[in-house]
């Protein structure tokens, strides 16, 4: 089920007859929240409303609309209980709409806006771990930028759907990043790691700052930070080693899997916190 910018254009361009299925209401325990949506064509779907029997029923209902003609819109209310073989216990209201030209444009615009608003994750270092981490994170709703000072390493990456940045001064990439970004430092050079990490920590607005390394490297960085930067106070914002220490396995794919969950959690939770803050301020001033 593709989800990136080019995929929705390709999906809609290849299929003339499509139905939009949207979760309009969700009460109790449900697979997805109100606002979740998917597109259904005769041969394929785009997106998901949560899978399981509910989604199977929705796809079947949408395809009946496509095959039978008639109404351009419909809605159903589904209890998620024994009647349909799901035990969530909630109730979901689904809307079905045939996708016409204006709705096609609106859906493309919706996906573009969602992608533009995704939290940025900057991965510094296109080596084995950096490449594996970029691959792991490419599957989730984040904007991934792989950064390196070495052209040959950066050009060798084959991760789809990410951006690459070749630069002689990676610390400038940190300075230009939007607030709430995540920074993961995995370069081939410890001195460069320290420089990039210090820049990221000094911002004070990062969702996540992580550096690959050992206890010794972490202690060395702390001493360097105090001696060279004069900011030991920012050290507590560092995650090192990335991915934690619960699993004793140093293979790049394992480090990447552990770190990806850690980074995604921090980045998305930081975004949720930013969205809640204006509402909290509004209530205080009301």
């Amino acid at each position: 089920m593709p989800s990136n910018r080019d995929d929705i254009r390709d999906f809609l361009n290849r299929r003339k007859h499509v139905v939009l299925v949207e979760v309009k209401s969700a009460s109790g325990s449900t697979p997805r929240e109100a606002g979740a949506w998917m597109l259904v064509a005769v041969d394929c779907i785009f997106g998901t409303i949560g899978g399981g029997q509910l989604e199977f029923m929705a796809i079947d209902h949408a395809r009946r609309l496509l095959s039978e003609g008639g109404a351009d819109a419909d809605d159903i209310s589904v209890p998620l209980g024994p009647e349909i073989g799901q035990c969530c216990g909630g109730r979901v209201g689904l809307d079905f709409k045939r996708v016409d030209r204006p709705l096609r444009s609106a859906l493309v615009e919706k996906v573009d806006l969602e992608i533009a608003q995704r939290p940025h994750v900057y991965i510094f270092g296109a080596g084995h771990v950096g490449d594996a981490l970029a691959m792991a994170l490419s599957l989730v709703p984040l904007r991934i930028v792989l950064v390196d000072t070495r052209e040959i390493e950066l050009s060798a990456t084959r991760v789809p759907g990410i951006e690459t940045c070749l630069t002689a001064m990676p610390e400038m990439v940190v300075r230009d990043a939007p607030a709430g970004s995540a920074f993961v430092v995995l370069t081939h050079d410890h001195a460069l790691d320290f420089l990039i990490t210090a820049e990221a920590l000094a911002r004070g607005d990062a969702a996540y700052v992580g550096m690959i390394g050992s206890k010794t490297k972490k202690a060395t960085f702390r001493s360097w930070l105090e001696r060279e930067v004069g900011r030991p106070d920012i050290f507590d914002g560092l995650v090192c080693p990335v991915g934690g220490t619960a699993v004793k396995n140093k293979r790049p794919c394992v480090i990447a899997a552990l770190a990806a969950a850690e980074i995604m959690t921090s980045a998305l939770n930081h975004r949720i916190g930013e969205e809640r803050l204006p509402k909290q301020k509004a209530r205080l001033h009301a």
Side-chain angles (χ1 to χ4, degrees), residues 23-34 77-78 80 88-93:
V23 178
K24 296 303 291 184
S25 63
S27 58
S29 179
T30 60
R32 290 291 302 276
E33 68 287 350
S77 180
V78 185
L80 304 180
C88 297
R91 180 176 286 272
V92 175

Side-chain angles (χ1 to χ4, degrees), residues 22-161:
E22 184 173 7
V23 178
K24 296 303 291 184
S25 63
S27 58
S29 179
T30 60
R32 290 291 302 276
E33 68 287 350
W37 57 277
M38 65 187 297
L39 299 177
V40 180
V42 171
D43 64 330
C44 190
I45 63 173
F46 179 96
T48 178
I49 58 167
Q53 185 67 9
L54 172 67
E55 184 164 295
F56 178 80
M57 290 176 61
I59 293 170
D60 185 59
H61 190 84
R63 285 178 174 160
R64 282 205 307 272
L65 286 178
L66 289 172
S67 64
E68 294 172 1
D72 290 334
D74 196 7
D75 63 89
I76 60 175
S77 180
V78 185
L80 304 180
E83 302 98 306
I84 69 165
Q86 282 192 230
C87 56
C88 297
R91 180 176 286 272
V92 175
L94 298 177
D95 272 6
F96 298 79
K97 295 178 183 175
R98 290 179 183 274
V99 178
D100 56 15
R101 188 180 297 274
L103 186 51
R104 283 173 181 259
S105 298
L107 288 168
V108 170
E109 184 178 346
K110 182 183 182 73
V111 170
D112 285 352
L113 180 61
E114 187 274 327
I115 292 173
Q117 293 176 338
R118 289 178 180 176
H120 287 60
V121 178
Y122 295 87
I123 301 172
F124 294 88
H128 295 301
V129 178
D131 202 56
L133 181 58
M135 180 65 76
L137 289 172
S138 70
L139 301 175
V140 297
L142 298 168
R143 183 172 175 179
I144 312 303
V145 185
L146 185 61
V147 184
D148 209 303
T149 59
R150 304 164 298 170
E151 184 175 5
I152 190 168
E153 294 291 336
L154 204 59
S155 62
T157 188
R158 294 293 180 266
V159 182

Side-chain angles (χ1 to χ4, degrees), residues 2 23 34 37-38 57 63 93 98 108 112 129 180 183 196 208 213 227 233 236-237 247 249 253 261 263 269:
V23 178
W37 57 277
M38 65 187 297
M57 290 176 61
R63 285 178 174 160
R98 290 179 183 274
V108 170
D112 285 352
V129 178
F183 304 94
I196 298 168
Y208 175 94
R227 183 180 67 253
D233 56 296
D236 290 342
V247 177
N249 192 312
C253 58
I263 294 158
N269 281 346

